[in-house]
Amino acid sequence: MGDANGERRPAGELGASVLAALWAAGAPLTPGQVQEALGSSHARTTVTTILSRLYEKGVVTRTRSGRGFAYLPTEDASGLTARRMHAELAKTEDRGTVLSRFVSQLRDEDEALLRGLLEADGAGGAG
């Protein structure tokens, strides 16, 4: 699957574009509507396949719309990023090392933000 110039898109780029179109719409869209929002040369079947894969991953929900479906994201971009971070963390048995390396590579501003969020979350209460 390529673009109008015959170049292949990086993996996930079309999925990200589809999600961006859904977020921008703020309402459920059919594959045809997503295709139109993308203003792309992608076939509706390609968009439908991407939406089906996102549905299988739990990233979008769907409701009946005529003979097909209309799709809506399950969360905003920040929520999706957080979900992906949790999924990556769940893949390892050595969570402490992963978290330690993650924190050690944060920019100073991000580390201060994380500390503030942790302190505001009940001074180490629930977790």
Side-chain angles (χ1 to χ4, degrees):
M1 147 181 63
D3 64 13
N5 298 325
E7 297 175 9
R8 188 164 176 83
R9 289 175 161 260
E13 185 179 314
L14 182 54
S17 296
V18 166
L19 278 171
L22 291 171
W23 286 321
L29 297 179
T30 64
Q33 291 168 322
V34 171
Q35 179 190 24
E36 185 177 317
L38 294 174
S40 69
S41 60
H42 296 290
R44 188 186 52 75
T45 54
T46 300
V47 174
T48 300
T49 298
I50 296 299
L51 287 164
S52 294
R53 289 178 182 165
L54 292 171
Y55 174 75
E56 289 167 6
K57 293 178 181 178
V59 176
V60 298
T61 60
R62 66 184 185 191
T63 55
R64 276 278 171 206
S65 178
R67 291 186 292 150
F69 294 100
Y71 295 83
L72 186 69
T74 57
E75 50 201 338
D76 63 12
S78 296
L80 182 58
T81 299
R83 178 198 291 218
R84 289 177 178 157
M85 292 169 71
H86 280 285
E88 287 301 314
L89 188 58
K91 291 178 185 178
T92 183
E93 293 181 23
D94 193 358
R95 296 168 71 99
T97 299
V98 171
L99 287 171
S100 175
R101 288 188 183 169
F102 176 77
V103 170
S104 72
Q105 295 173 8
L106 289 174
R107 296 181 325 200
D108 291 343
E109 304 85 35
D110 292 333
E111 182 178 346
L113 177 60
L114 180 57
R115 287 183 190 281
L117 290 169
L118 290 171
E119 290 170 3
D121 191 27

